[in-house]
Amino acid sequence: YKSSNFNRGPRTQSELKSMKNQINKDIELYNEGLVNPHWHFEHDPTIAPEMRPLLDKLDEAGIPWTCGSQSPF
């Protein structure tokens, strides 16, 4: 699974680009049946507007994501 140390501050453009690239790779591999990704954020990413397009991308692809201080696994 993927884990992000998403903090309460805004993400830089570089960080957003990096996450977007990784999500795109995960979607491609997921659609090929090679991986079953799960993204986990330590802090709630929904409070950061710049994260909404990335979360929507995960949702649209059917890739689950969670948040919280405890690992989902």
Side-chain angles (χ1 to χ4, degrees):
Y1 82 101
K2 308 290 181 186
S3 180
S4 173
N5 254 347
F6 181 77
N7 62 30
R8 297 181 191 275
R11 301 286 86 196
T12 66
Q13 286 303 311
S14 175
E15 289 170 315
L16 292 170
K17 182 179 178 181
S18 177
M19 280 190 276
K20 182 178 179 181
N21 288 341
Q22 186 60 56
I23 289 169
N24 287 337
K25 287 179 191 175
D26 284 353
I27 290 170
E28 181 181 332
L29 294 172
Y30 177 70
N31 288 337
E32 292 174 10
L34 299 174
V35 299
N36 192 21
H38 180 114
W39 281 64
H40 182 75
F41 302 91
E42 186 175 333
H43 300 287
D44 185 356
T46 63
I47 64 171
E50 70 274 11
M51 290 294 294
R52 179 49 43 201
L54 298 176
L55 298 175
D56 289 345
K57 192 170 193 67
L58 289 169
D59 289 340
E60 289 167 9
I63 295 175
W65 62 270
T66 54
C67 61
S69 60
Q70 295 294 322
S71 169
F73 302 104

